[in-house]
Amino acid sequence: MKCSEIMELLEELAPRRMACDWDNPGLLAGRREKEIKKILLTVDVDDQTVETAVKEQADMIVSHHPLIFRAVKHVTDEDFIGRRLVTMIQADISCFAMHTNFDAAPGCMADLAADRLGIVFGSPIEEMGDENGVPFGIGKIGVLRAPMNGRAFAKQIRESFGLPYVTVYGEDLWEAEPVKVAAVCPGSGGSVIGEALKKGAQVLVTGDIGHHEGIDAVAQGLMIIDAGHYGLEHIFMEYVEQYLKERTGGQTELIRMPVRFPAVVI
């Protein structure tokens, strides 16, 4: 299959029009008409990913986070973004990203995370529009299929996503009574705290929470479980692998980067 055909399949899953205005998804490097025999799936296009793509002779990298966010004024080996681009271009590797469009699209990141956490009857925390009558947007809020106290919920999150740890703000907020309404925002979710509170969330599961965001949320009655930016989003690789496997009919070999958390607690 050609790169353009793979792109069409991915656009069907998470249309680019669903991305936030500031985002930069899509084909970021490479040739649209390149024949694609092997695809490497990853969350981030870091040095290890590029090295793996070259070693495995992948024809295309499909990532969640875009390698290029801002305008690139030169592509040389003088900085880390340039080095990665030069290496990919030399190896004729196409690079395609699906970021906030995958976060927001129905059935994708927010829905996948909510389902893994047992959140049902969900709706977007921040609605961006609707697709055939189905609302889409950032995050998901709903009721827990099996209500439980906050500490038990935190442990379930850690186990469900295979996390080494989670950081909890307000660990004692929901010990005496169960959590019934929960929200999840994979990635960086500090910006949705206000909306989660408005919609009645008792707990918000997300990543990249700062000290003041955490304690201010607790002061308003919202428990925060920081599962890490990567911690909630690594599910992207497994899901897109299965999707492409079904849609390409085995015409393209699919490999993915191992789940490897970028931060450790020592």
Side-chain angles (χ1 to χ4, degrees):
M1 298 182 69
K2 291 183 178 180
C3 177
S4 58
E5 294 175 309
I6 300 294
M7 289 167 55
E8 286 177 12
L9 294 177
L10 295 173
E11 286 282 345
E12 288 178 20
L13 175 64
R16 185 167 179 168
R17 65 179 179 278
M18 293 184 180
C20 295
D21 293 339
W22 50 262
D23 200 7
N24 190 38
L27 184 65
L28 303 182
R31 300 186 293 119
R32 291 179 57 90
E33 299 309 304
K34 177 178 172 60
E35 194 68 28
I36 304 297
K37 296 180 180 178
K38 183 183 287 190
I39 297 173
L40 174 63
L41 301 166
T42 187
V43 175
D44 297 290
V45 186
D46 54 15
D47 290 338
Q48 188 177 11
T49 297
V50 174
E51 290 169 8
T52 300
V54 173
K55 180 181 177 181
E56 296 290 336
Q57 297 183 309
D59 300 295
M60 184 177 188
I61 296 172
V62 174
S63 68
H64 179 47
H65 295 141
L67 173 60
I68 303 171
F69 259 121
R70 301 172 184 85
V72 175
K73 295 184 178 180
H74 61 265
V75 178
T76 71
D77 62 356
E78 297 175 312
D79 62 74
F80 68 98
I81 297 294
R83 284 195 298 273
R84 293 170 190 170
L85 287 168
V86 168
T87 300
M88 287 189 291
I89 291 169
Q90 286 178 324
D92 197 15
I93 298 171
S94 297
C95 185
F96 184 89
M98 42 199 314
H99 189 208
T100 53
N101 48 325
F102 187 84
D103 287 336
C108 292
M109 190 75 85
D111 285 329
L112 294 170
D115 184 64
R116 189 171 289 212
L117 295 179
I119 296 174
V120 296
F121 307 116
S123 60
I125 300 174
E126 291 187 349
E127 189 169 326
M128 296 167 63
D130 70 85
E131 185 77 359
N132 299 320
V134 178
F136 67 87
I138 300 301
K140 190 70 67 171
I141 183 169
V143 299
L144 284 183
R145 185 181 293 110
M148 63 190 78
N149 67 33
R151 189 172 295 271
F153 189 42
K155 290 180 179 178
Q156 177 182 300
I157 293 163
R158 191 182 64 199
E159 294 168 1
S160 297
F161 286 85
L163 307 175
Y165 65 90
V166 296
T167 301
V168 182
Y169 293 88
E171 77 281 0
D172 57 350
L173 271 180
W174 302 105
E175 288 303 296
E177 58 182 291
V179 174
K180 296 178 181 177
V181 181
V184 60
C185 182
S188 184
S191 65
V192 305
I193 288 175
E195 199 62 30
L197 280 164
K198 285 181 186 177
K199 295 188 174 181
Q202 296 167 277
V203 178
L204 170 64
V205 185
T206 188
D208 294 346
I209 293 297
H211 169 78
H212 293 289
E213 290 175 318
I215 64 173
D216 289 352
V218 173
Q220 298 172 83
L222 180 66
M223 179 179 178
I224 299 283
I225 302 176
D226 188 333
H229 195 125
Y230 181 93
L232 295 174
E233 293 191 331
H234 67 79
I235 59 177
F236 165 86
M237 295 185 288
E238 180 181 357
Y239 181 76
V240 175
E241 178 185 37
Q242 187 59 41
Y243 171 81
L244 286 176
K245 188 177 293 183
E246 293 172 359
R247 296 302 302 272
T248 61
Q251 296 181 57
T252 304
E253 183 180 354
L254 297 159
I255 58 175
R256 49 184 159 123
M257 292 296 292
V259 174
R260 183 174 179 272
F261 300 97
V264 296
V265 175
I266 299 175

